[in-house]
């Protein structure tokens, strides 16, 4: 097992190097440079050239790439042009906020999604199945940013139950309750689509398992129906559900971009959008590499978890 | 993108309906505290170091923490004393001697004096200054005419320029000229932008990244302590979320209200503020080649575009029709006799026929967004329709803002016949000097991307730049405006009115023509 994990970790290195080259090239190739973005109307060729020199952007692309890569390997991600602070500080702080948001949203969609799928499958074509299928279809069809805005209008502007935006209040203590009141709307809006997807796939995974012989055997030996569904069938279906959860976790993380914009959540998605618009090269590059590394590690963790659960997968 | 925008527009309408149905119910959430003004800003600031930043968003905070040697008189764009009490300009316009205000201290307790002024300008301008590495200072070229800054005595400082340069005083009133504490720069180095210290009405208290910048009243302010206890600037980049925060009572003052959201703030609970600023939105016409090389065709374009409809329908009244190249906000230099080109399609057709340019094909560069560009796609489409109605054949090419600048600034030759553009400046000199002179063609490093050239205009602008007498400068600018309007190197379209909304708890707030946000007179109940 250790050897398998090690092998997977080693194979991540070329992936990350590739990502670093791609993100560097994309930022180098898209039109517009940081100096023009900073100077705006005052971007004369002369001013741009001087600022590029000050920013260290007058070197060749190859030189710039290796300087950046070398610094990054020693833990120095550079300083953001637009925010004037170390890229790593900003990325870590923002990633933390995204993890809180995406983590809670993922928890919600995993629990609700699997539960809905199981209930649906257990009552195939019954009333509960139809109601859940309808709700799921509705959830999958609503764009999350639209749902987020409607929630703001209804629950924050009109009912004033929740704050409109942000992660913490401007004044007052930073308690868990306060955080949850700020989290309620964005986490819900973020979880809705993924809940629907997980529910659908859990339902079909369960249906497949329920048709198998060992379920009939369990029923025949007198196991209570609830035990059949939740203990025997769900455990077997989890093998198919866990990769779905892994994919949806990635989806929740990337979907956080829209939600962070709408709810002004200080997360890494909003950071990247702002940084791209301002051509904040180092922040975009460092941010993308960091997020990509997290994805890769997460995928490895999912594969390892699956191989532990399913003895059929050889490590 | 336009589809997305339309969706959100519809959403706001739906939201209004929803709000009306439900009525505003009493809030369970606490209101903002009295004495503390919460401002909804459009972005996270870059730094609170006036020499290092370029964005209006950052200036809104800086103007309340720092003072300059001079400032704009309330409600105007004319300079008056601030940290300097008076000044003397040498006969030839190259030596400026300022007497400084006595008894002023920086927030860190160190005294304000001539040494501090010298430190500020040397830091920006001299590459071998020990703190030049706290930059870069992208707008330092505002002071590129300064050869040296000398301490005459404790409270007198002297600037020597490399030639007469009339906009020098208004550049000092610009945020780039705000005076920072040398001791604080020495202490914090490159981190000064997060630990600012000035002489202004508010002192810096706290900066929580991506959440808030907090400034507190300076009880010892030389111009009278502010009424507010503190101001909190919250970055809320999404305009719809900013609107929702204002409606929900999460902020007290909101800047840059999107035109579609203005109707939300009718009624007694809010006050809508508007102020025309030193902004002009125009179309650059390629006067070097193609149909616009003929002045009659350029004038025809000016007659053909329905500017009233643009400002009232597309921009929902958030701008006024521009008459010429200089915005009326520069009251002292503006030519009030100038009448905008009327909307007259028949006259446009007649001019086109006279020039033999019926059916002329035009390539029109449109941007998707960008600083001061208002609603460029909707405006571009409306302009296209107006021009086609009089017989032009217009093809639009749309670019993202940074790409757009990369296409337009090097000149339109061989690529396009017209391009959208907008400028916001602090002196009537800046825009025409950089964008209308023959010497400002792109190959010479200027912004005259349409290659307009008129020796008379060149002479007037050169003369105005070196005239130190304001009345003389005003006369030269007025004459220039008349000629430029007649020559029509641009289609003059709109002057943007900046807007802001305050809640009914806020009193004493007014927007400035400079577009700066000054809060020392504001009261919150």
């Amino acid at each position: 097992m250790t050897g398998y994990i090690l092998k997977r970790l080693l194979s991540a290195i070329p992936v990350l190097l590739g990502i670093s080259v791609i993100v560097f090239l994309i930022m180098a190739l898209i039109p517009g440079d940081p100096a023009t973005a900073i100077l705006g109307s005052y971007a004369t060729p002369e001013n741009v050239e001087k600022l590029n020199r000050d920013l260290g952007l007058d070197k060749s692309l190859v030189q710039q790439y290796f300087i950046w890569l070398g610094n990054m390997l020693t833990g120095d991600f550079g300083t953001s042009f637009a925010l004037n602070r170390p890229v790593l500080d900003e990325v870590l702080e923002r990633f933390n906020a995204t993890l809180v948001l995406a983590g809670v949203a993922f928890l919600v969609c995993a629990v609700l999604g699997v539960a809905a799928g199981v209930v649906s499958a257990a009552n195939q074509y019954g009333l509960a199945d139809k109601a859940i299928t309808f709700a799921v279809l509705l959830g999958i069809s609503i764009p999350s940013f639209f749902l987020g805005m409607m929630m703001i209008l209804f629950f924050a502007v009109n009912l004033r139950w929740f704050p409109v935006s942000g992660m913490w209040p401007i004044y007052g203590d930073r308690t868990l309750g306060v955080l949850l009141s700020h989290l309620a709307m964005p986490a819900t809006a973020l979880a809705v689509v993924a809940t629907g997807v997980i529910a659908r796939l859990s339902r079909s995974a369960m249906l497949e398992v329920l048709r198998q012989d060992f379920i009939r055997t369990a029923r025949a030996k007198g196991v209570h129906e609830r035990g059949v569904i939740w203990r025997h069938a769900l455990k077997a279906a989890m093998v198919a559900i866990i990769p779905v959860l892994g994919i949806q976790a990635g989806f929740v993380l990337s979907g956080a971009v829209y939600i962070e914009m709408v709810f002004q959540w200080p997360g890494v998605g909003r950071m990247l959008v702002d940084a791209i618009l301002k051509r904040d090269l180092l922040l975009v590059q460092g941010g993308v590499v960091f997020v990509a590394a997290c994805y890769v590690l997460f995928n490895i963790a999912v594969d390892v978890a699956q191989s532990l659960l399913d003895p059929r997968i050889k490590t | 993108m336009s589809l997305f925008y339309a969706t959100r527009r519809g959403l706001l309408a739906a939201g209004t309906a929803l709000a009306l149905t439900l009525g505003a119910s009493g809030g369970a959430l606490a209101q903002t505290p009295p004495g503390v003004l919460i401002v909804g800003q459009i972005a996270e600031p870059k730094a609170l170091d006036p020499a290092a930043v370029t964005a209006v968003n950052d200036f809104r905070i800086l103007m309340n923490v720092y003072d300059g040697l001079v400032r704009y008189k309330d409600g105007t764009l004319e300079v008056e004393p601030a940290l300097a009490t008076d000044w003397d300009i040498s006969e030839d316009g190259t030596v400026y001697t300022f007497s400084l205000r006595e008894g002023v201290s920086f927030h860190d307790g160190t005294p304000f004096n001539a040494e501090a002024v010298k430190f500020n300008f040397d830091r920006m301008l001299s590459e071998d200054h020990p703190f030049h590495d706290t930059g870069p200072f992208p707008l330092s070229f505002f002071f590129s005419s300064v050869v040296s800054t000398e301490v005459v005595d404790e409270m007198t400082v002297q600037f020597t320029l490399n030639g007469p340069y009339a906009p020098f005083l208004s550049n000092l009133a610009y945020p780039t000229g705000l005076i920072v504490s040398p001791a604080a720069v020495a202490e914090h180095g490159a981190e000064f932008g997060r630990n600012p210290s000035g002489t202004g009405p508010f002192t810096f208290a706290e900066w929580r990244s991506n959440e808030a910048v907090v400034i507190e009243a300076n009880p010892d302010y030389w111009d009278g302590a502010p009424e507010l206890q503190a101001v909190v600037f919250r970055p809320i980049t999404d305009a719809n979320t900013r609107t929702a925060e204002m409606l929900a009572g999460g902020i007290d003052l909101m800047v840059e209200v999107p035109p579609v959201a203005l109707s939300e703030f009718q009624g007694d609970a809010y006050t809508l503020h508007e102020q025309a600023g030193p902004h002009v939105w125009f179309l650059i016409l390629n006067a070097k080649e193609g149909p616009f090389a003929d002045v009659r065709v350029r004038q025809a374009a000016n007659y053909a575009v329905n500017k009233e409809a643009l400002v009232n329908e597309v921009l929902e009244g958030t701008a006024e029709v521009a008459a010429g190249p200089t915005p009326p906000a520069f009251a002292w230099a503006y030519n009030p006799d100038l009448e905008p080109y009327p909307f007259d399609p028949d006259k446009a057709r007649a001019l086109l026929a006279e020039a033999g340019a019926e059916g002329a094909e035009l390539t029109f560069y449109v941007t998707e967004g960008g600083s001061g560009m208002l609603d460029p796609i909707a405006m571009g489409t409306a302009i296209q329709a107006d021009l086609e109605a009089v017989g032009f054949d217009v093809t639009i090419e749309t670019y993202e803002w940074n790409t757009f600048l990369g296409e337009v600034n090097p000149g339109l030759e061989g690529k396009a016949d017209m391009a959208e553009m907008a400028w916001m400046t602090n002196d009537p000199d800046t825009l025409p000097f950089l964008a209308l002179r023959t010497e400002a063609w792109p190959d010479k490093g200027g912004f005259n991307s349409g290659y307009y050239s008129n020796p008379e205009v060149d002479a007037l602008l050169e003369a105005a730049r070196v005239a130190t007498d304001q009345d003389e400068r005003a006369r030269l600018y007025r004459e220039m405006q008349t000629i430029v309007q007649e020559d029509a190197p641009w289609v003059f379209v709109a002057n943007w009115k900046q807007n802001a909304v305050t809640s009914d708890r806020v009193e004493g707030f007014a927007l400035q023509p400079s577009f700066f946000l000054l809060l020392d007179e504001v009261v919150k109940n």
Side-chain angles (χ1 to χ4, degrees):
Chain A
M1 194 68 200
T2 324
Y4 171 71
I5 295 176
L6 213 64
K7 210 168 69 190
R8 290 297 311 266
L9 284 176
L10 280 177
S11 72
I13 292 174
V15 173
L16 288 175
L17 274 178
I19 287 166
S20 79
V21 172
I22 291 170
V23 66
F24 182 85
L25 281 181
I26 288 176
M27 288 312 284
L29 293 180
I30 54 170
D33 57 293
T36 311
I38 291 170
L39 287 164
S41 311
Y42 296 108
T44 57
E46 192 187 339
N47 289 337
V48 167
E49 195 191 330
K50 181 174 179 301
L51 194 57
N52 270 332
R53 211 167 47 238
D54 291 346
L55 297 173
L57 295 173
D58 54 342
K59 299 190 175 66
S60 78
L61 275 185
V62 178
Q63 263 177 311
Q64 284 185 44
Y65 174 75
F66 281 104
I67 292 173
W68 173 61
L69 190 67
N71 286 342
M72 213 158 49
L73 291 177
T74 61
D76 175 12
F77 280 60
T79 304
S80 148
F81 305 141
L83 298 171
N84 198 36
R85 68 186 298 221
V87 166
L88 197 59
D89 289 10
E90 181 75 13
V91 171
L92 287 177
E93 201 176 295
R94 295 295 201 106
F95 196 69
N96 197 26
T98 297
L99 277 188
V100 171
L101 172 63
V104 170
F106 180 68
L107 214 66
V108 170
C109 69
V111 172
L112 285 184
V114 172
V118 170
V119 171
S120 228
N123 303 287
Q124 195 182 6
Y125 306 129
L127 191 62
D129 184 24
K130 282 181 181 146
I132 287 173
T133 306
F134 177 74
V136 159
L137 205 64
L138 203 65
I140 293 178
S141 313
I142 294 180
S144 58
F145 70 89
F146 177 78
L147 181 68
M149 295 175 104
M150 294 318 283
M151 288 172 87
I152 288 181
L153 281 172
F154 197 77
F155 294 111
V157 174
N158 288 306
L159 297 176
R160 301 207 176 185
W161 287 355
F162 300 107
V164 173
S165 68
M167 183 168 175
W168 295 106
I170 297 300
Y171 285 93
D173 296 331
R174 300 193 160 195
T175 58
L176 184 66
V178 164
L179 178 62
L180 287 179
S181 80
H182 281 79
L183 251 176
M185 291 198 299
T188 309
L190 181 53
V192 165
V193 175
T195 307
V197 175
I198 292 172
R200 284 187 116 175
L201 294 168
S202 304
R203 177 177 179 272
S204 56
M206 279 295 285
L207 285 176
E208 196 164 319
V209 171
L210 285 173
R211 277 197 292 270
Q212 287 180 19
D213 292 347
F214 76 94
I215 295 295
R216 198 180 48 196
T217 312
R219 283 190 180 130
K221 76 176 183 191
V223 178
H224 192 272
E225 183 63 14
R226 193 175 295 163
V228 170
I229 300 288
W230 291 100
R231 215 165 37 237
H232 294 266
L234 180 57
K235 194 176 167 197
M238 276 320 269
V239 176
I241 293 173
I242 281 188
V244 173
L245 291 182
I247 292 167
Q248 289 304 309
F251 176 84
V252 165
L253 211 54
S254 54
V257 175
Y258 310 108
I259 296 301
E260 285 173 6
M261 290 306 288
V262 171
F263 290 95
Q264 295 293 298
W265 193 263
V268 80
R270 202 181 115 205
M271 179 198 85
L272 285 174
V273 173
D274 290 345
I276 290 168
L277 291 177
K278 288 179 182 159
R279 296 291 184 275
D280 195 345
L281 300 182
L282 291 176
L283 191 56
V284 176
Q285 293 168 190
V288 169
V289 167
F290 184 87
V291 173
C294 292
Y295 263 91
V296 170
L297 288 178
F298 186 78
N299 274 323
I300 294 175
V302 171
D303 288 353
V304 170
Q306 203 180 3
S307 70
L308 286 177
L309 262 176
D310 188 349
R312 284 172 301 182
I313 296 176
K314 289 275 187 303
T315 57
Chain B
M1 197 58 213
S2 62
L3 185 69
F4 186 53
Y5 191 65
T7 316
R8 305 218 290 191
R9 206 183 260 247
L11 198 71
L12 269 167
T16 318
L18 205 69
L20 286 175
T21 339
L22 289 170
S25 58
L29 288 169
Q31 286 208 302
T32 56
V36 178
L37 186 77
I38 311 215
V39 180
Q41 279 264 67
I42 61 165
E44 171 83 350
K46 174 187 177 185
L48 299 179
D49 179 350
V53 300
T54 56
V56 175
N57 182 65
D58 300 12
F59 295 164
R60 291 198 176 103
I61 305 176
L62 294 174
M63 293 303 288
N64 295 292
V65 176
Y66 298 94
D67 294 304
L69 292 177
V70 296
R71 65 183 179 194
Y72 291 121
K73 219 177 282 178
D74 188 31
T76 74
L77 287 168
E78 287 180 70
V79 292
E80 68 172 10
L83 286 178
T85 49
D86 58 86
W87 54 87
D88 184 62
I89 306 170
S90 71
E91 197 66 21
D92 66 353
T94 59
V95 181
Y96 286 66
T97 312
F98 293 87
S99 305
L100 304 181
R101 193 172 293 277
E102 306 268 353
V104 176
S105 293
F106 290 105
H107 301 146
D108 60 7
T110 55
F112 164 74
N113 54 28
E115 277 297 341
V117 177
K118 179 175 166 53
F119 177 98
N120 270 268
F121 287 90
D122 286 354
R123 175 171 83 114
M124 241 190 300
L125 299 170
S126 148
E127 304 229 334
D128 48 10
H129 189 269
F131 294 101
H132 187 71
D133 61 357
T134 52
F137 307 111
L139 298 184
S140 62
F141 63 85
F142 275 142
F143 303 107
S144 57
S145 59
V146 174
V147 178
S148 70
T149 313
E150 295 308 327
V151 174
V152 178
D153 60 43
E154 176 74 12
M155 284 293 149
T156 312
V157 71
Q158 193 169 71
F159 293 88
T160 307
L161 311 186
N162 57 13
Y165 179 60
F168 183 57
L169 279 178
S170 41
N171 285 353
L172 284 176
Y174 202 67
T176 314
L178 294 171
I179 303 294
V180 308
S181 158
V185 173
E187 185 187 340
H188 298 289
E191 290 293 300
F192 173 75
R194 289 198 159 245
N195 301 275
S197 177
T199 59
F202 292 89
T203 62
F204 171 75
E206 190 188 6
W207 180 346
R208 302 199 294 268
S209 287
N210 307 306
E211 281 177 39
V213 170
V214 183
I215 58 176
E216 287 169 353
N218 171 10
D220 305 319
Y221 187 49
W222 58 268
D223 202 18
E227 301 278 347
L228 293 165
Q229 292 161 21
V231 182
V232 178
F233 295 89
R234 284 184 61 187
I236 307 174
T237 47
D238 189 272
N240 292 325
T241 309
R242 209 155 61 239
T243 306
E245 279 285 7
M246 191 72 210
L247 291 170
I251 55 178
D252 306 305
L253 192 168
M254 167 185 177
V255 296
E256 299 193 20
V257 186
V260 289
L262 285 174
S263 56
E264 304 275 335
F265 298 109
Q266 306 296 338
D268 294 340
Y270 304 99
T271 312
L272 181 65
H273 306 264
E274 285 187 319
Q275 172 67 53
H279 166 278
V280 55
W281 198 105
F282 55 96
L283 302 172
I284 303 171
L285 304 179
N286 184 346
K288 192 175 193 177
E289 53 176 15
F292 288 132
D294 188 325
V295 63
R296 289 168 299 189
V297 183
R298 298 201 298 269
Q299 288 171 340
N302 269 287
Y303 283 115
V305 173
N306 189 348
K307 283 141 311 207
E308 288 288 342
L310 280 173
V311 301
N312 291 325
E313 309 303 327
V314 180
L315 299 176
E316 319 228 2
T318 57
E320 281 163 3
V321 173
T326 303
F330 291 117
W332 64 271
Y334 179 68
N335 187 343
D337 301 332
L338 238 46
E339 283 293 329
Y341 276 91
F343 172 53
D344 191 343
D346 293 333
K347 177 115 184 198
R349 279 186 210 102
L351 281 165
L352 280 184
E354 206 182 308
E358 298 108 320
E361 291 181 11
L362 302 175
T363 303
F364 179 17
Y365 279 177
V366 169
T367 176
E368 288 179 344
S371 151
M373 295 306 299
L374 311 180
D375 197 351
I377 292 182
M379 292 173 81
T381 322
I383 288 167
Q384 180 190 35
D386 285 346
L387 292 176
E388 296 206 326
V390 301
F392 287 106
D393 180 7
V394 185
T395 309
I396 285 184
E397 288 182 23
T398 309
Y399 295 95
E400 178 269 347
W401 177 237
N402 286 301
T403 318
F404 180 83
L405 289 177
E407 291 288 336
V408 174
N409 286 348
L412 298 181
E413 190 177 8
K415 294 185 293 193
D417 301 289
M418 55 197 279
E420 298 179 331
M421 189 46 69
W423 275 70
M424 197 142 69
T425 60
N426 62 317
D427 191 279
D429 167 82
T430 318
L431 175 59
F433 196 85
L434 287 177
L436 285 173
R437 283 177 318 136
T438 314
E439 281 300 306
W441 283 24
D443 54 342
K444 295 170 185 128
F447 292 101
N448 190 349
S449 303
Y451 316 97
Y452 171 61
S453 175
N454 182 336
E456 250 185 298
V457 170
D458 293 347
L460 286 168
L461 287 170
E462 298 287 351
R465 173 164 273 209
V466 298
T468 43
D469 178 51
Q470 182 162 306
D471 295 338
E472 172 64 6
R473 284 184 76 198
R475 191 187 64 73
L476 296 166
Y477 287 132
R478 289 190 181 124
E479 199 177 327
M480 177 275 294
Q481 289 160 49
T482 313
I483 301 172
V484 169
Q485 196 202 30
E486 180 68 27
D487 283 349
W490 301 340
V491 175
F492 312 103
V493 179
N495 301 121
W496 181 37
K497 289 187 286 187
Q498 194 186 32
N499 62 27
V501 171
T502 50
S503 79
D504 54 3
R505 300 168 72 198
V506 177
E507 283 169 28
F509 175 75
L511 283 168
Q512 298 293 325
S514 57
F515 282 5
F516 303 149
L517 193 72
L518 303 179
L519 301 172
D520 51 331
E521 308 279 320
V522 173
V523 180
K524 184 179 158 196
N525 305 315

